[in-house]
Amino acid sequence: MTNRVFTQRDIMQLPQRERANFINSLSGFKSANLVGTQSKEGLNNLCLVSSVFHVGAHPPLVGMLMRPHTVRRDTLQNIKDTGVYTLNHVHVSFADKAHQCSANYPGDTSEFEVVGLTPKMSSVVKAPFVAESIISMALEVEQINVIELNQTELVIGRVVEVVLADNILLNDGYVDIEKAGSVAISCLDSYHKTARLDRYSYAKPEQALSSIWLNDDPKS
Amino acid sequence: MTNRVFTQRDIMQLPQRERANFINSLSGFKSANLVGTQSKEGLNNLCLVSSVFHVGAHPPLVGMLMRPHTVRRDTLQNIKDTGVYTLNHVHVSFADKAHQCSANYPGDTSEFEVVGLTPKMSSVVKAPFVAESIISMALEVEQINVIELNQTELVIGRVVEVVLADNILLNDGYVDIEKAGSVAISCLDSYHKTARLDRYSYAKPEQALSSIWLNDDPKS
């Protein structure tokens, strides 16, 4: 196998679209979530994000990085206006519909309607879930910080409601997102299903790892 | 299919370890990277992180969330001392060794040695790559911010060197991290390989998506 090496100068000399694909690939696999919001006027909005990440469990915090608010961004505006939003796992059966939500529709268009997904209001916050998602959560904004390096906006929300299928939650709190059919994203536009390698025991020095998967739930 | 609903109160009443598993599962699939650093004294250190995420392509920025610096954290200390680090994709063949790197070894132990991975110094920064990784990059710290909500530390680095196998880079800049054998993580301890569903064209209103995968590279 031959390696290729890119210096900082090589990276900066890539054409813009190639550089975007290249750098977006490097961080590794990403989560695939649809963000559900409502405008002040009550119009539903749905937006695909691959930038959701875990921030902490106590309190339960989830982060999401949004592109600069220099052009109209309905989702970010709605989140700022209402202080709430939902996150909904993209399921293998509607990855194409989720991707289509990234198209730049007019502000008065509900992406739910044009792509064919079903809004279902949260009982806790004023924002719609995606009824087709196997795992959904409602969040209240805790903070929104601009990252000065590139003007992206880091939204951190507190999880205030979780709705999920009851056959994917194990006794130890692990949610089997693979069984739930949640997809992973690479780069900007590639969607992947997963196949578990293993679940490993808590790692300690001088102690061999063991599988904790077979103990909990049959692999097949 | 029956749904289960967790209110904020339900979440807070979960036992600590169950809540940690539960909330860590909710954000979706995560990247799997080993962080390579060197101490001021020149000792190599290797640490598994599932919190690496894309921040921007121009300039090329990658983020990583680190747990609170209240106990000894060699990796974060090394990054603060030297201003540089490497990120190395975890390959399916060494997911177990990567997981073992999360054990709390004494500060004078090199995780490379105890788990059996090979350090290879970057030619640009004073930090070791994992020679076994198919995709590696070297970074210089741009900023480290404490997230006051839970005292985690957000490290943002600028990519200054990329080393990857030359058979995984497509013409449009997309790096085929699935072909590279990069793994995804769910929750704290579950490792997954991936199978591509598709790569979709740039989404536009009133235009059906098409696959851009077959055009670029045969699926099989």
Side-chain angles (χ1 to χ4, degrees), chain A residues 31-36 46 48-49 52 62 86-95 98 117 129-137 162-164 168 175-185, chain B residues 22-30 186-187:
Chain A
S31 55
N33 282 280
L34 286 164
V35 188
L46 199 57
L48 178 69
V49 290
V52 168
V62 175
T86 71
L87 292 174
N88 308 270
H89 280 215
V90 175
H91 184 267
V92 289
S93 66
F94 61 79
L117 291 168
F129 288 129
V130 176
E132 288 82 359
S133 284
I134 310 296
I135 299 168
S136 294
M137 64 198 118
V162 176
V163 181
L164 42 70
I168 56 171
V175 181
D176 190 346
I177 66 174
E178 177 167 298
K179 186 175 178 183
S182 299
V183 308
I185 290 178
Chain B
F22 186 67
I23 301 296
N24 265 284
S25 302
L26 291 181
S27 53
F29 286 104
K30 310 175 191 189
S186 68
C187 194

Side-chain angles (χ1 to χ4, degrees), chain A residues 196 198-199 210-220:
Chain A
R196 191 181 328 271
D198 213 336
R199 243 192 109 188
S210 57
S211 170
I212 58 169
W213 184 240
L214 286 163
N215 305 338
D216 241 336
D217 206 350
K219 250 181 184 156
S220 65

